[in-house]
Amino acid sequence: CPFKALERVLNEIPKDIPVFVDLHAEATSEKITFAYYFDGRVTTNRFQLGRFVGDKDLETVSMTITGNGYSHDKQFPEGEAQIDIRQVTYRQYTYRDIRLAGTFAKDLYDGMLVIDDPNLQLRFNGLADFSESAAVLNADIVIPHFAPGPLHLSDRYADTEVRMTSNINLNGLDFNHLNGYFIIDSLYIRNGTDSVLVEQVKIVAEAEENTSARCNKNIKLTSDFLTAGASGTYDYNTLLVSCAKQLMRYLPNAFPSALQKSIRSTTSNNVVNFYIYGHEMKALQRVINLPVRVSDNPVIKGYINEPQNSIGLKMFIPYLRSRTNRTDNLIIAIDNNLSD
């Protein structure tokens, strides 16, 4: 009976937390044969959500949830919902005016998210569907204003503002089989009185259609300040492990023994060719206030071939500067391929 279930849930909520429930449910034997239906509204006022879910950073929430749908054979429900969050406190900051509206099911959401907080304004409108064999993520994302300092998200960027417009269109069997693109237009970053505008950042991913995680794939990044890419037969989940294994061969003392053991115990068998070309990077590095900065035109390219146990790396950086040191004309060349 849905009313017994509701009574059980309400009894678990501390008595000093106000909860208002307007619920309509149908549980006749005929309809239970096909599905469990729900149609109702839940309203909270300063509900101690953090205490309820055990999250110390999350505090009170005041919101109204309106929805309708059904659950077939006690499966994950599907239907339509609208969530209006008047305020929610997280990390000692109270976010205001958050709205979601759309259709939902297991691993699927099709709708919009709007945030109109004074320090975070966001518009999301799109589809995230991971319910089928081929996942789909297609959305427009606009951030008219984002200030991480007042939100208590970063002490380093206490006086920083970010604005951007973006579009994402990706599909694939899983993370290793992604095809599509992610584009950021007009990325504006201000830090104090300094600012930079990046016209466009574009990431394009292509992957062969087969069931192996190590399928042929190609990923490219183009932007005002950086061009990069990686191609080959590799698994995204173990690519960093492959890089770490090769670094351990030349710089073993840079890795603690426990980390070395963990890296060696992870199976990887990747083949990847990569390149990174930097251009017009000074302004972006200055505004982001990076602790280590490189010159405008660094070049890094190379390959990793684990089946042949070989690696190649060519790197040229006109200068590398930290707050206390500067290195000019840094050149590294490694190639242990003995077959040539």
Side-chain angles (χ1 to χ4, degrees), residues 198-220:
V198 179
E199 294 291 343
Q200 188 180 85
V201 179
K202 184 176 183 179
I203 301 174
V204 178
E206 300 173 343
E208 185 182 30
E209 292 185 6
N210 65 42
T211 57
S212 171
R214 287 183 60 255
C215 63
N216 286 314
K217 54 177 68 78
N218 188 16
I219 186 167
K220 296 179 181 179

mmCIF file of all heavy atoms in Angstrom, residues 198-220:
data_model
loop_
_atom_site.group_PDB
_atom_site.id
_atom_site.type_symbol
_atom_site.label_atom_id
_atom_site.label_comp_id
_atom_site.label_asym_id
_atom_site.label_seq_id
_atom_site.Cartn_x
_atom_site.Cartn_y
_atom_site.Cartn_z
ATOM 1 N N VAL A 198 38.493 33.670 -24.990
ATOM 2 C CA VAL A 198 38.844 32.573 -25.889
ATOM 3 C C VAL A 198 37.676 32.409 -26.857
ATOM 4 O O VAL A 198 36.552 32.117 -26.443
ATOM 5 C CB VAL A 198 39.089 31.270 -25.106
ATOM 6 C CG1 VAL A 198 39.437 30.132 -26.056
ATOM 7 C CG2 VAL A 198 40.205 31.460 -24.088
ATOM 8 N N GLU A 199 37.944 32.595 -28.131
ATOM 9 C CA GLU A 199 36.863 32.583 -29.126
ATOM 10 C C GLU A 199 36.162 31.233 -29.197
ATOM 11 O O GLU A 199 34.932 31.143 -29.237
ATOM 12 C CB GLU A 199 37.411 32.963 -30.501
ATOM 13 C CG GLU A 199 37.914 34.394 -30.598
ATOM 14 C CD GLU A 199 36.805 35.418 -30.529
ATOM 15 O OE1 GLU A 199 35.639 35.039 -30.730
ATOM 16 O OE2 GLU A 199 37.109 36.599 -30.287
ATOM 17 N N GLN A 200 36.955 30.144 -29.227
ATOM 18 C CA GLN A 200 36.333 28.818 -29.351
ATOM 19 C C GLN A 200 37.272 27.718 -28.868
ATOM 20 O O GLN A 200 38.482 27.787 -29.082
ATOM 21 C CB GLN A 200 35.933 28.529 -30.803
ATOM 22 C CG GLN A 200 35.114 27.255 -30.969
ATOM 23 C CD GLN A 200 34.724 26.985 -32.409
ATOM 24 O OE1 GLN A 200 35.486 26.397 -33.167
ATOM 25 N NE2 GLN A 200 33.513 27.415 -32.789
ATOM 26 N N VAL A 201 36.682 26.722 -28.222
ATOM 27 C CA VAL A 201 37.367 25.477 -27.890
ATOM 28 C C VAL A 201 36.516 24.348 -28.460
ATOM 29 O O VAL A 201 35.328 24.252 -28.150
ATOM 30 C CB VAL A 201 37.528 25.289 -26.363
ATOM 31 C CG1 VAL A 201 38.223 23.963 -26.067
ATOM 32 C CG2 VAL A 201 38.298 26.454 -25.758
ATOM 33 N N LYS A 202 37.123 23.509 -29.295
ATOM 34 C CA LYS A 202 36.369 22.446 -29.956
ATOM 35 C C LYS A 202 37.072 21.117 -29.754
ATOM 36 O O LYS A 202 38.255 20.978 -30.042
ATOM 37 C CB LYS A 202 36.224 22.733 -31.455
ATOM 38 C CG LYS A 202 35.366 21.726 -32.198
ATOM 39 C CD LYS A 202 35.190 22.125 -33.650
ATOM 40 C CE LYS A 202 34.275 21.150 -34.395
ATOM 41 N NZ LYS A 202 34.094 21.551 -35.819
ATOM 42 N N ILE A 203 36.311 20.145 -29.260
ATOM 43 C CA ILE A 203 36.820 18.773 -29.081
ATOM 44 C C ILE A 203 35.976 17.846 -29.949
ATOM 45 O O ILE A 203 34.749 17.827 -29.825
ATOM 46 C CB ILE A 203 36.753 18.337 -27.607
ATOM 47 C CG1 ILE A 203 37.577 19.285 -26.727
ATOM 48 C CG2 ILE A 203 37.252 16.907 -27.455
ATOM 49 C CD1 ILE A 203 37.442 19.011 -25.247
ATOM 50 N N VAL A 204 36.636 17.094 -30.815
ATOM 51 C CA VAL A 204 35.962 16.152 -31.698
ATOM 52 C C VAL A 204 36.483 14.754 -31.408
ATOM 53 O O VAL A 204 37.702 14.527 -31.385
ATOM 54 C CB VAL A 204 36.188 16.499 -33.182
ATOM 55 C CG1 VAL A 204 35.516 15.468 -34.080
ATOM 56 C CG2 VAL A 204 35.674 17.899 -33.487
ATOM 57 N N ALA A 205 35.566 13.814 -31.177
ATOM 58 C CA ALA A 205 35.943 12.433 -30.869
ATOM 59 C C ALA A 205 35.372 11.492 -31.925
ATOM 60 O O ALA A 205 34.211 11.612 -32.321
ATOM 61 C CB ALA A 205 35.425 12.030 -29.487
ATOM 62 N N GLU A 206 36.212 10.555 -32.370
ATOM 63 C CA GLU A 206 35.790 9.532 -33.325
ATOM 64 C C GLU A 206 36.264 8.179 -32.810
ATOM 65 O O GLU A 206 37.386 8.052 -32.343
ATOM 66 C CB GLU A 206 36.386 9.799 -34.714
ATOM 67 C CG GLU A 206 35.989 11.139 -35.312
ATOM 68 C CD GLU A 206 36.740 11.430 -36.598
ATOM 69 O OE1 GLU A 206 37.771 10.763 -36.851
ATOM 70 O OE2 GLU A 206 36.300 12.313 -37.351
ATOM 71 N N ALA A 207 35.401 7.176 -32.920
ATOM 72 C CA ALA A 207 35.759 5.835 -32.443
ATOM 73 C C ALA A 207 35.167 4.786 -33.374
ATOM 74 O O ALA A 207 34.061 4.942 -33.890
ATOM 75 C CB ALA A 207 35.255 5.611 -31.016
ATOM 76 N N GLU A 208 35.932 3.723 -33.557
ATOM 77 C CA GLU A 208 35.491 2.604 -34.383
ATOM 78 C C GLU A 208 34.348 1.867 -33.701
ATOM 79 O O GLU A 208 34.302 1.756 -32.472
ATOM 80 C CB GLU A 208 36.671 1.658 -34.595
ATOM 81 C CG GLU A 208 36.426 0.499 -35.524
ATOM 82 C CD GLU A 208 37.643 -0.398 -35.634
ATOM 83 O OE1 GLU A 208 38.406 -0.486 -34.657
ATOM 84 O OE2 GLU A 208 37.831 -1.006 -36.698
ATOM 85 N N GLU A 209 33.420 1.370 -34.487
ATOM 86 C CA GLU A 209 32.260 0.672 -33.935
ATOM 87 C C GLU A 209 32.571 -0.810 -33.763
ATOM 88 O O GLU A 209 32.408 -1.611 -34.671
ATOM 89 C CB GLU A 209 31.046 0.849 -34.847
ATOM 90 C CG GLU A 209 30.520 2.275 -34.898
ATOM 91 C CD GLU A 209 29.247 2.391 -35.705
ATOM 92 O OE1 GLU A 209 28.722 1.325 -36.121
ATOM 93 O OE2 GLU A 209 28.784 3.520 -35.920
ATOM 94 N N ASN A 210 33.063 -1.165 -32.592
ATOM 95 C CA ASN A 210 33.182 -2.572 -32.205
ATOM 96 C C ASN A 210 33.077 -2.649 -30.690
ATOM 97 O O ASN A 210 32.985 -1.629 -30.011
ATOM 98 C CB ASN A 210 34.474 -3.218 -32.738
ATOM 99 C CG ASN A 210 35.732 -2.599 -32.132
ATOM 100 O OD1 ASN A 210 35.778 -2.325 -30.944
ATOM 101 N ND2 ASN A 210 36.742 -2.375 -32.966
ATOM 102 N N THR A 211 33.099 -3.832 -30.155
ATOM 103 C CA THR A 211 32.836 -4.007 -28.722
ATOM 104 C C THR A 211 34.084 -3.907 -27.873
ATOM 105 O O THR A 211 33.989 -3.923 -26.645
ATOM 106 C CB THR A 211 32.170 -5.372 -28.480
ATOM 107 O OG1 THR A 211 33.019 -6.412 -29.003
ATOM 108 C CG2 THR A 211 30.813 -5.439 -29.166
ATOM 109 N N SER A 212 35.270 -3.810 -28.467
ATOM 110 C CA SER A 212 36.503 -3.748 -27.697
ATOM 111 C C SER A 212 36.733 -2.343 -27.165
ATOM 112 O O SER A 212 36.528 -1.354 -27.871
ATOM 113 C CB SER A 212 37.693 -4.173 -28.573
ATOM 114 O OG SER A 212 38.914 -3.929 -27.898
ATOM 115 N N ALA A 213 37.181 -2.254 -25.904
ATOM 116 C CA ALA A 213 37.510 -0.950 -25.342
ATOM 117 C C ALA A 213 38.702 -0.345 -26.067
ATOM 118 O O ALA A 213 38.791 0.875 -26.231
ATOM 119 C CB ALA A 213 37.806 -1.073 -23.850
ATOM 120 N N ARG A 214 39.623 -1.197 -26.551
ATOM 121 C CA ARG A 214 40.801 -0.724 -27.271
ATOM 122 C C ARG A 214 40.513 -0.638 -28.770
ATOM 123 O O ARG A 214 41.275 -1.128 -29.603
ATOM 124 C CB ARG A 214 41.991 -1.642 -27.013
ATOM 125 C CG ARG A 214 42.597 -1.535 -25.628
ATOM 126 C CD ARG A 214 43.819 -2.421 -25.480
ATOM 127 N NE ARG A 214 44.861 -2.051 -26.440
ATOM 128 C CZ ARG A 214 45.154 -2.740 -27.529
ATOM 129 N NH1 ARG A 214 44.452 -3.835 -27.855
ATOM 130 N NH2 ARG A 214 46.120 -2.350 -28.330
ATOM 131 N N CYS A 215 39.443 -0.003 -29.143
ATOM 132 C CA CYS A 215 39.126 0.183 -30.556
ATOM 133 C C CYS A 215 39.927 1.359 -31.106
ATOM 134 O O CYS A 215 40.488 2.157 -30.360
ATOM 135 C CB CYS A 215 37.628 0.425 -30.731
ATOM 136 S SG CYS A 215 37.047 1.945 -29.937
ATOM 137 N N ASN A 216 40.006 1.447 -32.434
ATOM 138 C CA ASN A 216 40.655 2.596 -33.056
ATOM 139 C C ASN A 216 39.869 3.859 -32.727
ATOM 140 O O ASN A 216 38.657 3.908 -32.912
ATOM 141 C CB ASN A 216 40.709 2.412 -34.576
ATOM 142 C CG ASN A 216 41.755 1.393 -34.984
ATOM 143 O OD1 ASN A 216 42.883 1.413 -34.491
ATOM 144 N ND2 ASN A 216 41.392 0.498 -35.877
ATOM 145 N N LYS A 217 40.577 4.855 -32.241
ATOM 146 C CA LYS A 217 39.901 6.110 -31.907
ATOM 147 C C LYS A 217 40.811 7.287 -32.169
ATOM 148 O O LYS A 217 42.042 7.149 -32.230
ATOM 149 C CB LYS A 217 39.393 6.108 -30.464
ATOM 150 C CG LYS A 217 40.429 5.787 -29.411
ATOM 151 C CD LYS A 217 39.829 5.899 -28.012
ATOM 152 C CE LYS A 217 38.799 4.849 -27.709
ATOM 153 N NZ LYS A 217 39.395 3.544 -27.374
ATOM 154 N N ASN A 218 40.193 8.429 -32.305
ATOM 155 C CA ASN A 218 40.907 9.660 -32.607
ATOM 156 C C ASN A 218 40.200 10.808 -31.902
ATOM 157 O O ASN A 218 38.984 10.951 -32.023
ATOM 158 C CB ASN A 218 40.935 9.892 -34.123
ATOM 159 C CG ASN A 218 41.823 11.056 -34.518
ATOM 160 O OD1 ASN A 218 42.644 11.511 -33.729
ATOM 161 N ND2 ASN A 218 41.639 11.549 -35.729
ATOM 162 N N ILE A 219 40.931 11.587 -31.150
ATOM 163 C CA ILE A 219 40.351 12.737 -30.464
ATOM 164 C C ILE A 219 41.212 13.957 -30.759
ATOM 165 O O ILE A 219 42.445 13.876 -30.725
ATOM 166 C CB ILE A 219 40.213 12.484 -28.948
ATOM 167 C CG1 ILE A 219 39.479 13.645 -28.282
ATOM 168 C CG2 ILE A 219 41.553 12.222 -28.285
ATOM 169 C CD1 ILE A 219 39.021 13.345 -26.869
ATOM 170 N N LYS A 220 40.562 15.079 -31.092
ATOM 171 C CA LYS A 220 41.270 16.305 -31.455
ATOM 172 C C LYS A 220 40.718 17.483 -30.662
ATOM 173 O O LYS A 220 39.507 17.574 -30.437
ATOM 174 C CB LYS A 220 41.123 16.595 -32.952
ATOM 175 C CG LYS A 220 41.749 15.558 -33.868
ATOM 176 C CD LYS A 220 41.524 15.932 -35.322
ATOM 177 C CE LYS A 220 42.120 14.893 -36.261
ATOM 178 N NZ LYS A 220 41.887 15.248 -37.691
#
